[in-house]
Amino acid sequence: MSGFDCRTCGQHHTEMPMCLGADAPALWYALPEGERAERAFLSSDECVIDDEHFFVRGRVVLPVEGGADSFVWLVWVSLSAANFQRMGELWETEGRESEPPYFGWLQSALPYDESTLSLKTAVHTMPLGERPEIEIQSEGHQLALEQVHGISMARAQEIVERALHG
């Protein structure tokens, strides 16, 4: 699907984004802007706040029914200090995907009716060059159900509209 007519703004969007997400974990946005540089480190893959909150960026993949592509949420997950350190040690190591999954808490506010903050997750390390894959383990949450059962292209468009227009 190359584009779509948006039901929210009434405009035609020339592209249907199949990957969306936040540039930082929710806690980053809660910090006063003037304190971020002194209290936090943020890269495209990691975030550390106050040397006590540790986050990695990963992918929640939602299969799209009948589609060649999946819809991907780029999300932030909090890890324990030990797991964050271990993941960092293996970041550039071949075979790192054989590492058991890490427990984490989802720390990205996604546009779902029920909050996505602090959903239980398993963080699966992927081969070099790939972001971790995040498995939602909060049974019954719409995001978890969509991850397991997939979504229609109409649902993907609804997600995109909500993400683009609040």
Side-chain angles (χ1 to χ4, degrees):
M1 182 175 194
S2 60
F4 66 100
D5 294 322
C6 184
R7 295 174 294 217
T8 304
C9 70
Q11 300 294 312
H12 180 78
H13 296 275
T14 57
E15 292 187 26
M16 172 76 145
M18 294 299 283
C19 182
L20 295 171
D23 292 330
L27 185 57
W28 168 269
Y29 296 110
L31 293 174
E33 206 169 317
E35 296 179 18
R36 290 178 183 164
E38 66 187 50
R39 294 180 56 193
F41 164 79
L42 176 67
S43 73
S44 62
D45 297 307
E46 302 175 317
C47 182
V48 178
I49 298 176
D50 295 330
D51 291 324
E52 64 181 74
H53 303 283
F54 305 92
F55 307 92
V56 294
R57 196 173 194 194
R59 304 173 304 134
V60 175
V61 178
L62 308 180
V64 176
E65 300 163 2
D69 294 328
S70 295
F71 182 86
V72 177
W73 282 116
L74 291 179
V75 299
W76 291 87
V77 177
S78 65
L79 296 176
S80 68
N83 285 343
F84 182 81
Q85 181 177 350
R86 176 72 177 158
M87 184 173 263
E89 290 168 358
L90 297 174
W91 196 252
E92 302 212 11
T93 304
E94 289 285 341
R96 68 185 189 171
E97 64 273 16
S98 62
E99 186 78 357
Y102 305 110
F103 175 81
W105 297 102
L106 188 66
Q107 293 301 302
S108 291
L110 304 178
Y112 283 79
D113 291 335
E114 188 178 353
S115 176
T116 58
L117 290 175
S118 297
L119 294 178
K120 292 180 182 181
T121 68
V123 180
H124 298 271
T125 305
M126 302 303 287
L128 287 177
E130 294 182 37
R131 291 187 192 276
E133 194 159 307
I134 310 303
E135 175 188 354
I136 306 300
Q137 296 189 320
S138 296
E139 292 181 25
H141 192 282
Q142 184 178 7
L143 180 58
L145 295 171
E146 290 177 344
Q147 186 175 41
V148 171
H149 301 291
I151 60 174
S152 66
M153 190 51 104
R155 173 64 179 141
Q157 180 176 331
E158 179 184 322
I159 289 170
V160 168
E161 289 172 351
R162 288 184 80 176
L164 293 178
H165 300 296

